[in-house]
Amino acid sequence: MNASTSTPAPAAIVVDGLRKSYGSNEVLTGIGLEVAAGEVVCLIGPSGSGKSTLLRCVNLLEEPSGGVVTVGGVDVTDPDVDLDGLRRRIGMVFQHFNLFPHLSVLENCTIAQRKVLKRPQAEAVEVARRNLDLVGLADKADALPAQLSGGQQQRVAIARALSMDPQLMLFDEPTSALDPETVGDVLAVMRSLAEAGMTMLVVTHEMGFAREVADRVVFMDAGVVVEQGPAAQVIGSPRNERTKLFLQRVLDPTHVRGDAAEGSEG
């Protein structure tokens, strides 16, 4: 983008002072984060750090307790926001695939197109088949989810989300429920989306993927952003001691210093 000759497009996602509490338990504490259009940002950190809650606040699966979230310039925390319209613009892929078990792969990828986007059946099928081909599952269109591996089901879930023509994609630990041998296929699909310029906000424990694909890595702990920057810097040369300890445990889980283990609360 040449800033001198054009007006920069609004950031795809802007999070400003985001707070989320469940009763007296404050899960997010004044989070600030921006994701540019076409950028891939990976959220990393220990379990319970607020990563998934942040992701779910972006499309209002969780209602923020305070702060502002905008998507494509639209304030999603505005009580009058068109929630259905917002969610049409955001694709989300969860840990668990949430496919309809009684519907075929093709039907899973067309039902929301027909009911939400009001697409004619023929067009919905064409879009679904194109996206199934994109994730390498064109030959599984007539299969039921139970006939697929976990990795295949997750790729169907990605194809289903893409079939809604989203402007950005949210991924909530999409490989955490998969067998190790199927993780690579899902990450390869996500890598191809990143290369095609899809805006992506990804909660992940896959440090290799984050290092290779992310434009920026954000480390969260205890409901705050502790450190963020280019993937090579945050993962390769973290500056914050908490980030260093987390990455040491993730990248070399068999080597945990005794003093670190004693100081850990999980």
Side-chain angles (χ1 to χ4, degrees):
M1 180 184 298
N2 188 337
S4 64
T5 59
S6 63
T7 301
I13 303 170
V14 178
V15 177
D16 184 14
L18 178 64
R19 294 182 292 103
K20 177 61 181 177
S21 298
Y22 299 98
S24 61
N25 180 27
E26 191 168 43
V27 179
L28 298 176
T29 308
I31 295 287
L33 179 69
E34 290 194 16
V35 180
E39 189 178 23
V40 178
V41 175
C42 284
L43 303 175
I44 67 171
S47 297
S49 60
K51 308 182 302 296
S52 294
T53 302
L54 169 58
L55 205 69
R56 293 168 69 87
C57 284
V58 170
N59 65 353
L60 289 190
L61 290 177
E62 296 283 357
E63 185 174 347
S65 303
V68 176
V69 178
T70 61
V71 175
V74 176
D75 180 0
V76 308
T77 52
D78 184 336
D80 297 323
V81 69
D82 176 4
L83 193 53
D84 290 335
L86 168 72
R87 289 177 177 160
R88 290 189 200 107
R89 303 166 63 183
I90 304 173
M92 185 153 186
V93 177
F94 301 87
Q95 287 178 277
H96 301 287
F97 328 119
N98 297 334
L99 300 177
F100 293 110
H102 62 292
L103 298 181
S104 70
V105 163
L106 186 63
E107 289 168 333
N108 266 282
C109 292
T110 59
I111 186 170
Q113 292 188 69
R114 292 187 293 104
K115 293 186 177 296
V116 177
L117 301 182
K118 307 301 181 185
R119 278 182 178 155
Q121 172 73 7
E123 182 183 355
V125 167
E126 179 183 355
V127 170
R129 289 192 183 279
R130 183 169 65 243
N131 285 302
L132 286 171
D133 184 56
L134 180 69
V135 302
L137 292 173
D139 61 332
K140 299 295 186 182
D142 297 325
L144 291 172
Q147 297 172 307
L148 305 180
S149 70
Q152 289 173 327
Q153 290 185 61
Q154 191 62 293
R155 283 187 281 155
V156 171
I158 294 173
R160 175 182 60 185
L162 292 174
S163 293
M164 299 296 287
D165 299 329
Q167 296 176 6
L168 62 97
M169 291 283 288
L170 308 178
F171 293 87
D172 188 5
E173 299 192 27
T175 61
S176 65
L178 303 181
D179 293 330
E181 64 267 24
T182 67
V183 167
D185 293 335
V186 173
L187 294 180
V189 170
M190 295 172 64
R191 185 178 295 109
S192 69
L193 290 178
E195 291 170 352
M198 175 64 75
T199 306
M200 297 165 58
L201 184 56
V202 184
V203 174
T204 186
H205 288 295
E206 300 289 344
M207 293 302 116
F209 173 84
R211 192 198 310 260
E212 179 182 343
V213 178
D215 296 299
R216 188 155 41 97
V217 169
V218 177
F219 173 69
M220 292 180 61
D221 188 30
V224 300
V225 172
V226 175
E227 182 171 357
Q228 63 175 304
Q233 180 259 303
V234 174
I235 296 177
S237 302
R239 296 167 182 159
N240 186 278
E241 286 301 320
R242 183 67 189 89
T243 314
K244 291 178 183 178
L245 179 58
F246 170 78
L247 288 168
Q248 180 185 58
R249 290 174 172 171
V250 171
L251 298 174
D252 188 9
T254 63
H255 178 72
V256 179
R257 295 174 305 174
D259 56 342
E262 290 170 7
S264 171
E265 295 180 2

